[in-house]
Amino acid sequence: MKTFFNLIQDVRKQGKCHHCGGCVTFCSAINYGALKTGEDGRPDFADIEKCIECGICHMICPETGDDHEIRKEAGWTAPGGRTIGTSVARAGDLIIRERGTDGGVVTALLLHLFDTKKINGAVVSRNMDSGRTPWLATSREEIIDASGSHFDSSHGMARFGEAYSTFSPSVKALAEIRKEGLEKIAFVGTPCQINTIRRMQALGVVPADSIVLCLGLFCSGNYTMTKESFKPLEQDYNFDYHDIEKMNIKENVILRLTTGELREIPINALDPAKRTACRYCGDFSAEFADISFGGIGADDGWTTVITRTDLGHALFTQASEKALELYSYKQNPNYATQAEAMVLSASSAKKRVAKKNRKDLESGPVTVIS
Ligand SMILES: Cc1cc2nc3c(=O)[nH]c(=O)nc-3n(C[C@H](O)[C@H](O)[C@H](O)COP(=O)(O)OP(=O)(O)OC[C@H]3O[C@@H](n4cnc5c(N)ncnc54)[C@H](O)[C@@H]3O)c2cc1C
Ligand code: SF4
Ligand code: SF4
Ligand code: SF4
């Protein structure tokens, strides 16, 4: 039976651990207590003597084995996962729309599900000084408070101190669900986080049994941003790191400065700040989510939405009538099809790069990451 010991050897030491927190969350939720999360976010043994070698942490790690079981469960099809429908939408409520990263659709949908009692909470991620932090929101106000993405500060980067991470280890907030005794929770997260939740659900293990809906965010990578990592870009794109007020990732990275000016930077230019594990990840569009969301393919202020499961499609269709505004396709009937093509193209590019990086890792000199 492979255990956390193997995760250290095969995943963590090779730099492939994305700090999703799935292994620690399960081991803690079932009270084995063998694992902990270190200060740097990586999983570790808390007490090796408590490990009963159940092997579940190994099975739910997105970096182990293949996705056969969850693919079967999701009805996954090539090239980019099951797609029932692709739309471009935005929140009906102007305030939600303005707070949103793109069209505020994730927040508007969560609020609609909360108001209609389909969920009694949502794992979201709110902005704190050190970066996005997982949060179990159990009221309308808390869901709204967590809207938006990456950093968004009227005071620019100065607010965040030395380093800012765009990654939020949201799976860890599942521990709160058990404490609060909640049962109908929506989870918002990156494709790797959705992957570990689907693996937990396929095995029927806690705490993923309380998740009724997985909302996936498109993801080209997560970044640890420091003044140092932005130095080469400051000169090329004429901005000061401390003046960055808002960052959004669509086809490119869009920086809004405190002066109101925009800077558009190719995503690859941020590669030096990308987390190591993200280099090996081939899921761009959250292929195992109930519904996936991103800005790519949509005009500013709109969100591209892919419904992937019957449940996700039904809930999105209901919300579209009450809480969302769908893009009027009269001007361009091919708009959603074009958005879908852009998502597929970004997905294929990410899979290609991940495959190459994995091959290089396997054939190159061994670099051990502690
Ligand atoms: C790390 C990251 C990388 C992304 N990369 C791309 C990309 O390359 N291309 C692209 O088109 N789209 C990308 N997205 C998705 C995009 O930024 C928007 O999140 C998406 O379009 C939804 O926008 P919205 O206005 O509808 O959502 P909103 O209504 O603004 O809601 C966003 C929700 O996401 C939650 N959230 C915010 N940050 C995080 C985080 N770090 N981890 C987990 N949950 C979070 C918030 O709490 C909120 O519930 C990325 C998102 C993230 C978090
Ligand atoms: S008890 Fe199970 S889940 Fe916890 S570390 Fe050991 S093998 Fe992993
Ligand atoms: S990727 Fe997630 S499940 Fe795998 S070792 Fe890292 S934190 Fe644990
Ligand atoms: S690129 Fe992959 S591993 Fe990195 S945060 Fe996004 S989904 Fe997770």
Side-chain angles (χ1 to χ4, degrees):
M1 175 70 70
K2 290 195 169 182
T3 71
F4 186 71
F5 179 78
N6 302 86
L7 284 184
I8 296 179
Q9 304 302 321
D10 306 340
V11 178
R12 211 185 69 186
K13 285 195 171 178
Q14 295 196 35
K16 291 192 281 188
C17 168
H18 353 109
H19 299 184
C20 73
C23 51
V24 182
T25 304
F26 166 73
C27 193
S28 309
I30 199 126
N31 284 330
Y32 292 155
L35 302 182
K36 65 174 182 189
T37 305
E39 271 179 27
D40 56 0
R42 68 180 186 161
D44 210 345
F45 274 118
D47 185 348
I48 199 166
E49 299 296 325
K50 288 188 177 163
C51 173
I52 62 156
E53 302 191 353
C54 68
I56 292 180
C57 58
H58 196 274
M59 289 182 233
I60 61 182
C61 172
E63 275 302 319
T64 57
D66 60 27
D67 294 330
H68 182 73
E69 202 53 46
I70 60 172
R71 281 188 181 200
K72 207 168 87 189
E73 203 70 39
W76 189 94
T77 48
R82 185 178 179 209
T83 298
I84 298 180
T86 303
S87 328
V88 176
R90 65 182 180 185
D93 183 323
L94 195 61
I95 295 169
I96 305 296
R97 203 187 289 170
E98 280 174 354
R99 286 186 61 110
T101 321
D102 290 308
V105 176
V106 174
T107 304
L109 177 62
L110 288 175
L111 288 173
H112 172 75
L113 297 174
F114 187 79
D115 292 343
T116 52
K117 303 203 179 336
K118 295 204 171 59
I119 59 170
N120 47 29
V123 172
V124 287
S125 180
R126 66 175 164 172
N127 244 345
M128 304 289 278
D129 285 350
S130 55
R132 281 266 160 189
T133 306
W135 198 24
L136 174 60
T138 54
S139 68
R140 287 192 110 248
E141 293 68 31
E142 289 177 348
I143 292 171
I144 294 170
D145 203 25
S147 65
S149 182
H150 305 296
F151 59 81
D152 189 352
S153 159
S154 52
H155 305 295
M157 275 311 279
R159 173 189 158 194
F160 297 115
E162 291 305 303
Y164 178 94
S165 169
T166 59
F167 185 69
S168 174
S170 302
V171 175
K172 285 185 202 146
L174 299 190
E176 289 298 310
I177 299 176
R178 296 200 77 72
K179 272 193 233 151
E180 304 266 336
L182 298 172
E183 280 171 349
K184 294 187 291 180
I185 299 295
F187 179 90
V188 181
T190 52
C192 58
Q193 293 168 342
I194 305 284
N195 188 307
T196 196
I197 286 178
R198 291 305 195 205
R199 285 174 187 241
M200 288 187 205
Q201 289 177 333
L203 289 168
V205 299
V206 293
D209 51 342
S210 306
I211 305 290
V212 291
L213 192 71
C214 282
L215 304 182
L217 307 173
F218 297 174
C219 184
S220 48
N222 263 281
Y223 304 89
T224 303
M225 293 163 30
T226 60
K227 173 129 181 82
E228 207 50 41
S229 62
F230 269 68
K231 218 172 201 163
L233 302 175
E234 285 179 317
Q235 208 171 2
D236 291 355
Y237 294 92
N238 184 29
F239 67 93
D240 186 298
Y241 173 74
H242 289 113
D243 292 339
I244 303 170
E245 187 180 74
K246 189 170 179 181
M247 172 170 128
N248 193 10
I249 307 183
K250 289 164 66 114
E251 292 86 342
N252 294 316
V253 181
I254 301 151
L255 304 179
R256 194 177 73 203
L257 308 180
T258 44
T259 55
E261 292 169 85
L262 297 179
R263 296 286 184 271
E264 196 159 335
I265 299 175
I267 289 185
N268 293 351
L270 277 191
D271 272 359
K274 198 186 247 187
R275 296 180 328 144
T276 310
C278 298
R279 297 172 213 272
Y280 308 110
C281 169
D283 187 351
F284 171 77
S285 63
E287 294 168 10
F288 297 104
D290 289 291
I291 315 177
S292 308
F293 307 84
I296 194 169
D299 285 352
D300 262 1
W302 294 84
T303 307
T304 299
V305 183
I306 301 179
T307 53
R308 298 190 178 281
T309 62
D310 295 342
L311 174 70
H313 189 72
L315 294 176
F316 178 73
T317 307
Q318 283 164 20
S320 302
E321 287 157 16
K322 307 261 182 217
L324 302 174
E325 181 186 331
L326 291 181
Y327 188 87
S328 164
Y329 300 109
K330 278 189 201 140
Q331 280 178 348
N332 180 359
N334 296 325
Y335 193 50
T337 320
Q338 285 163 3
E340 189 177 340
M342 288 179 83
V343 175
L344 280 178
S345 162
S347 295
S348 309
K350 194 174 176 195
K351 284 185 201 307
R352 239 185 352 260
V353 171
K355 198 170 167 192
K356 180 185 176 305
N357 288 346
R358 275 177 196 272
K359 211 165 154 205
D360 290 350
L361 183 74
E362 279 152 25
S363 58
V366 180
T367 312
V368 173
I369 296 176
S370 60

